[in-house]
Amino acid sequence: MRIAMWSGPRNLSTAMMYSFAARADCAVWDEPFYAPFLKQSGRQDPMLAEIFAQEETNPDIVAARCLGEIPQGKTVFYQKHMPHHMIATMPRAWITDVVNVFLIRHPARVIASYAKKRENPTLEDIGIEMQASLFEEISTLQGHSPVVIDSSDIRRDPAGMLKKLCRAINLPYDPAMLTWPAGGHASDGAWAPHWYPEVWKSTGFAPPEEELPILPANLQPILQPALPYYEHLAAHALK
């Protein structure tokens, strides 16, 4: 089984990768198209030199690996993907040959968290518009809606929601998914030192989230257009 988990940034995505990596049968891959996206978009992100030196930048090679032999002799290949990395020049034919899952989070939480790492984020940065577009594209191509799961629900009930997720994609649940060692994972991307210090401290899912944050005025123009995309995806989420 090859699982493509489509998530925006600051959205429990790395913790979910660690959760699947804790399974004995599962290999993981951290944002395969990040380096090709940076190379082709010209975006100036932190640790750019390190990323280009350590990660594959050819999107065709990345796409082939998404469907290729599963690393380490495992039987499950969990791929953590960001929808906004899939710009027009990225190959997409591979997407219909994997199990697609969409991980969502309320955009107010995403924006508040993202703004701590990058000043003046944009709607494009949080990936929600592209996530909704990709959801519709995959629904049309595969003839059914992909599985959607909300990170807030996972944090409220990790075992219960992971069981529901595994059942929805026909993967046996493994309680090992609830914990992992602190300190990161060998499959972390080259960008991890900038983006992952908090999750490196974790050994399991964080407790339930508090009330939605109230964003400052300069971030409201991102939140308002993001909400309809989130609400559309949330209508399909596992309960």
Side-chain angles (χ1 to χ4, degrees), residues 6-8 11 83 101-105 127-136 139 145-150 226-239:
W6 299 98
S7 169
N11 186 25
V101 182
F102 284 71
L103 177 65
I104 61 173
R105 187 187 190 196
I128 187 67
E129 181 177 10
M130 188 60 184
Q131 191 178 32
S133 175
L134 192 61
F135 177 84
E136 293 304 316
S139 297
S145 298
V147 173
V148 180
I149 190 165
D150 197 304
L227 282 172
Y229 297 118
Y230 168 75
E231 290 165 355
H232 174 65
L233 292 169
H236 296 271
L238 295 173
K239 303 301 181 185

Side-chain angles (χ1 to χ4, degrees), residues 1-4 6 29 31-33 59-71 77-81 86 91 94-95 97-99:
M1 176 180 285
R2 292 165 178 80
I3 302 166
W6 299 98
W29 196 1
E31 300 185 32
F33 286 95
D60 293 318
I61 293 176
V62 170
R65 290 180 182 170
C66 286
L67 297 181
E69 183 177 351
I70 299 177
F77 194 10
Y78 181 95
Q79 303 163 13
K80 171 191 166 191
H81 291 287
M86 302 305 293
W94 63 274
I95 294 177
D97 292 323
V98 300
V99 176

Side-chain angles (χ1 to χ4, degrees), residues 10 13-14 17-18 30-31 34 80 82 117 184 187-189 191-201:
R10 318 308 293 172
S13 58
T14 305
M17 183 178 74
Y18 291 171
D30 189 13
E31 300 185 32
Y34 191 16
K80 171 191 166 191
M82 294 281 165
K117 290 288 185 179
S187 297
D188 285 347
W191 45 85
H194 178 79
W195 294 102
Y196 299 173
E198 291 85 3
V199 74
W200 278 348
K201 302 172 187 176

